[in-house]
Amino acid sequence: FRHYDVTDMFSVNIDAVEVVTGGDTPVETPEPVETPEPVETPEPSPASDLDEALNVPGGTLHFISEGTYPWVVDDEGLGAHSTNINIPESESTVSTTVTAAAGDIVQFEYLCLGEGTGTTIWDGLFFYVDGTLVMSWNRVENISTFAYALTEGEHTLAWTYSKDGSVDNAGDYAWLDNVYVGAPVQPSAVVVEDVTVPAGRRAYVQYIVLPAEAFDKSVTFEIADTGIATVNANGVVTGVAEGTTTITV
């Protein structure tokens, strides 16, 4: 399979990054969280709701999720997730059949709150094309995008959250959204929110690359005045001194 990496295709300035004082408030140590009990067998989402939740805006892919643990639409209608939470030796699968033209790709956004170490997966998300494993993940806590080049013709795409019979990690599900099949689409815009961060503390730059089906949403970050704040390659802003500066995305 092939990955695509397109960077530095656009830039947008955040109007203001404000750094304020008073960031030394101590943080209380949270109480230990008990392992949740297994969830009841969920009711499958209506097919029309699942299609609307998983497609990019205007998309027409039809999704199927059957079996004991079907994928269901998130409460806010933003994507869908697996339902075999804390169920040992179980699987939860959603699939769609597509007809690809020459040069088409499949692209989607995902999270995976599974369990594993390195390339070893105990609980994780597995992506298949025509029954062949293309990619798998054990734990991806930030929304990420994956793209894969399809050959011309009909294909069955499937996403399975599979669990082993031992420990359940926090979360224990996979999430999917903005599934797109078609020619690669270049980004046209990026919407960025202003950032306010106390001196000595950290905050993420919040941004959305448009359109939703944009091909590879990689961005870079630069900051005008490092005496006020710094930003790293992951968009983490660290306050240095009180003031206002500009980040370019």
Side-chain angles (χ1 to χ4, degrees), residues 19-236:
V19 178
V20 297
T21 56
D24 296 327
T25 303
V27 178
E28 295 182 358
T29 302
E31 294 294 328
V33 178
E34 296 182 358
T35 301
E37 294 296 326
V39 297
E40 297 180 358
T41 302
E43 293 293 330
S45 297
S48 58
D49 292 347
L50 196 61
D51 292 349
E52 182 177 358
L54 288 176
N55 272 287
V56 295
T60 59
L61 300 178
H62 175 57
F63 293 88
I64 298 174
S65 189
E66 300 174 334
T68 305
Y69 305 107
W71 284 57
V72 297
V73 177
D74 275 4
D75 292 340
E76 298 180 357
L78 302 175
H81 61 83
S82 56
T83 57
N84 54 334
I85 300 171
N86 299 337
I87 306 297
E89 299 182 349
S90 63
E91 292 186 346
S92 179
T93 299
V94 62
S95 65
T96 182
T97 299
V98 304
T99 301
D104 279 358
I105 63 168
V106 56
Q107 180 172 290
F108 53 88
E109 295 177 351
Y110 67 96
L111 291 172
C112 181
L113 301 183
E115 181 192 13
T117 177
T119 58
T120 300
I121 300 175
W122 296 309
D123 302 336
L125 175 62
F126 297 80
F127 172 55
Y128 300 87
V129 175
D130 299 328
T132 299
L133 179 64
V134 170
M135 183 58 70
S136 56
W137 302 268
N138 50 32
R139 196 162 185 90
V140 180
E141 298 184 355
N142 296 317
I143 295 176
S144 301
T145 301
F146 179 78
Y148 177 75
L150 296 172
T151 57
E152 186 174 2
E154 184 175 279
H155 299 284
T156 298
L157 315 177
W159 296 261
T160 296
Y161 185 71
S162 179
K163 290 180 52 55
D164 68 4
S166 59
V167 178
D168 300 319
N169 213 340
D172 200 25
Y173 68 90
W175 172 89
L176 186 66
D177 195 9
N178 286 324
V179 181
Y180 168 77
V181 172
V185 176
Q186 298 299 328
S188 60
V190 59
V191 178
V192 188
E193 298 180 6
D194 287 351
V195 179
T196 298
V197 57
R201 304 299 289 273
R202 297 177 180 178
Y204 276 96
V205 177
Q206 301 294 327
Y207 66 93
I208 300 175
V209 177
L210 299 174
E213 64 269 28
F215 176 59
D216 193 346
K217 301 175 183 178
S218 300
V219 298
T220 59
F221 304 91
E222 294 181 2
I223 199 160
D225 189 346
T226 56
I228 294 175
T230 62
V231 62
N232 67 15
N234 297 317
V236 178

